[in-house]
Amino acid sequence: MSHSLKNPSSGENIFKPAKEFSKNARIKSMAQYQRMYQESIEKPGIFWAKEARELTWQKKWTKALKWKAPYAKWFVGGKLNVCESCVDQHLSNGRANKAAIIWEGEPGESRTLTYRQLHREVCTFANILLAQGIQAKDRVMIYMPMTPEAVIAMLACARIGAVHSVIFGGFSAESIVDRLEDCEAKAIITSDGGYRRGKVVPLKKNVDDALKKYKKIESVIVHQRIGSEEAPVKMKRGRDFWWHEQAAQVSSKHEAKAFDSEHPLFILYTSGSTGKPKGILHTAGGYLTGTYATCKYIFDMQDDDVYWCTADVGWITGHSYITYGPLANGVTQVMYEGAPNFPDFGRFWDLVEKYQVSIFYTAPTAIRAFIKAGDHFPESRDLSSLRLLGTVGEPINPEAWRWYHSKIGGERCPIVDTWWQTETGAIMISPLPGCTPTTPGTATLPFFGVDAAILDETGQEVGPNEGGKLVIRKPWPSMLRTIYGDKKRYRNTYWDDYPGIYTAGDGARRDKKGNFWITGRLDDVLNVSGHRLGTAEVESALVAHKVVAESAVVGRPHEIKGQGIVAFVTVKSGIETSDTMAKELREHVGHIIGAIAKPDEIYFTPALPKTRSGKIMRRLLKELVASGTVSGNITTLEDHKVISDLQEQLRK
Ligand code: WTA
């Protein structure tokens, strides 16, 4: 049992890891953490180089870091093939026949790939890509369900030096087009479909729709996941190829060639404060080092662990904590295709019991949905194999934390609340499970080598419990290198507030013990079910509809999703509004972006609250949806009646 103490200052419980856990953990005491942290901050190059040396390099670097803000180069002159650390090395370190991926499909079938089998599959697919003419630095889009083939596709790209860009399978054809155009992809890897909540998601069909608009794709490689009438597929001759047919024609042997440490590994699109998603670029050596080291220390991965991260490979969590970090650690992991509530809310716990999962990593939004579904689901399963729990994606509310700790962790498992971002590549702030005292709601302390701080507008560090902007003051290996094709936006977004310092875009405060409490985004980015979504993206989807003249989108607290989406819409003159129209607009946003972006509520209004100079006053709308009234200064508001009318509507 971990024991809890009452924290006199906040009234919150403080949880400390149990002795048995600490004894076997990599970091066993706070004294050890503090000593290592201090050293890592004084000499980051030495700390990170020690971690990097545990990976496979074909040529050693000459310098750990070259930093000319805001551009970092890590392990300068080093050469590696990322795939060798994730796969090949395990063929000769005793793990060849160890399960790398234990996969379960939503309908219930299961499949295990050992490291040796994974190697064979990756090599085969690398040869397929080469046969299609894909070369180093070419961009390859991956749009797949949660199957081992998604991981194989990523690793095969890395193996030949191609740059993958994975798109979450829940995104629409329109979203695919935007991303294809931005990165100018040459090939797409997809599946006939994937199962989600008992239904087939028609992935290949979405790709076909996208390719009506984007013409530069030379090959589409289709994995047959469904293989039945449920997912009818049209193959275009000369462009579309079945994965299994190609596999029969190529060798399963492939020698991994080394690439520069700064070779681009992938581009992953994420939302920012404009309507255009940002292509976050990560590079090989540094990213791998960051994900490897954080898995090792924060998830404390040991050789007999069974690890399961429930994220989708379409998000950064899936990249760092399904594909790269865990495989570089040689762990056994569970991968699941479908929804947490299919056929019911017991599915995750069935999987934990069936595969004896010991480390489990999920999102607060999922935990809240489980709480709502009822305790009988976890209570009727044997969860005693679990030893460590993690969360990511948003601040975890203390109620969800406590439920997770008691109902899932049996009060014995430490919880690591991990703060990080697509941009940071790896976890930045988190407890270390064997030593850090935790309080529900705080991500606690920075990881080794991470110089996190909270600054005020003038660049001064704020005092205890004062709010400010969360920043990172020193470069770290897994940091983004740029926004693909847009250096200016890279500098403006992250490096403009304070010279040479990375601004995360989150607000935070630190308590007297130095724990970081993240308070949420400071920009116009929503966090819906742990997924980032720009209000501007939803707004531009809405105004793309023929009846809409103008719209403003804001977030509101939501019981399960964390944040819900509220849209205020002004229609063009002469058009009648109705509930049917609101429904149509929701569907329209789903069509343009994807189901996660559908507004929860739509309010029609003859005008939006604006300043005299015509700027939409989102602050007022936010306040209005959160509290039902507007209290702050509204003297700059052009037309006060707009607010009182909206207030009336919301009351109804
Ligand atoms: C939020 C997901 C509080 C935060 C890995 C950040 C969190 C954004 C936490 C990044 C956490 C993520 N506590 N907030 N433990 N983890 N966030 O890029 O606002 O999808 O900026 O990366 O999620 O979301 P992204």
Side-chain angles (χ1 to χ4, degrees), residues 268 270-271 280 315-317 321 361 364 391-396 416-424 426-427 429 441-443 470 502 504-507 516-523 525-527 530-532:
L268 181 61
T270 188
S271 297
I280 304 299
W315 308 108
I316 191 68
T317 307
Y321 298 108
Y361 190 33
T391 73
V392 59
E394 59 177 301
I396 180 165
V416 288
D417 172 356
T418 62
W419 177 85
W420 59 295
Q421 309 175 295
T422 305
E423 292 87 341
T424 69
I427 298 168
I429 301 177
T442 166
L470 179 58
Y502 172 83
D506 278 341
F516 283 82
W517 296 75
I518 314 295
T519 47
R521 301 287 309 183
L522 297 170
D523 51 12
V525 173
L526 304 178
N527 190 326
H531 302 316
R532 271 164 75 167

Side-chain angles (χ1 to χ4, degrees), residues 346-551:
R347 188 62 183 274
F348 273 17
W349 319 128
D350 280 340
L351 290 174
V352 169
E353 178 173 334
K354 183 169 169 189
Y355 300 115
Q356 296 285 288
V357 172
S358 58
I359 307 172
F360 181 73
Y361 190 33
T362 196
T365 182
I367 297 168
R368 289 190 298 266
F370 287 123
I371 297 177
K372 203 165 171 213
D375 294 356
H376 58 285
F377 288 111
E379 276 168 3
S380 55
R381 272 81 177 179
D382 175 13
L383 304 180
S384 61
S385 58
L386 290 169
R387 69 179 193 95
L388 172 59
L389 303 175
T391 73
V392 59
E394 59 177 301
I396 180 165
N397 47 311
E399 187 204 354
W401 196 102
R402 286 199 197 88
W403 184 89
Y404 197 33
H405 184 253
S406 94
K407 300 291 172 197
I408 306 305
E411 294 183 1
R412 106 196 138 258
C413 305
I415 297 178
V416 288
D417 172 356
T418 62
W419 177 85
W420 59 295
Q421 309 175 295
T422 305
E423 292 87 341
T424 69
I427 298 168
M428 303 295 276
I429 301 177
S430 167
L432 291 175
C435 67
T436 314
T438 55
T439 304
T442 166
T444 72
L445 302 169
F447 184 66
F448 302 126
V450 174
D451 186 11
I454 301 168
L455 305 184
D456 66 15
E457 292 299 333
T458 69
Q460 294 296 308
E461 218 170 329
V462 300
N465 289 318
E466 281 174 42
K469 290 185 183 179
L470 179 58
V471 300
I472 313 290
R473 292 182 291 203
K474 283 197 172 78
W476 64 102
S478 63
M479 64 192 278
L480 78 164
R481 296 303 192 261
T482 189
I483 292 176
Y484 188 73
D486 200 345
K487 276 189 176 175
K488 191 162 157 241
R489 191 171 180 196
Y490 169 68
R491 285 195 304 268
N492 293 347
T493 312
Y494 307 108
W495 304 94
D496 255 10
D497 287 4
Y498 316 103
I501 292 179
Y502 172 83
T503 307
D506 278 341
R509 66 180 174 85
R510 269 186 115 158
D511 63 22
K512 286 203 182 90
K513 295 202 172 80
N515 291 310
F516 283 82
W517 296 75
I518 314 295
T519 47
R521 301 287 309 183
L522 297 170
D523 51 12
D524 287 319
V525 173
L526 304 178
N527 190 326
V528 181
S529 303
H531 302 316
R532 271 164 75 167
L533 207 58
T535 53
E537 278 173 83
V538 184
E539 286 165 5
S540 68
L542 282 166
V543 296
H545 191 283
K546 59 181 186 302
V547 302
V548 178
E550 198 171 33
S551 93

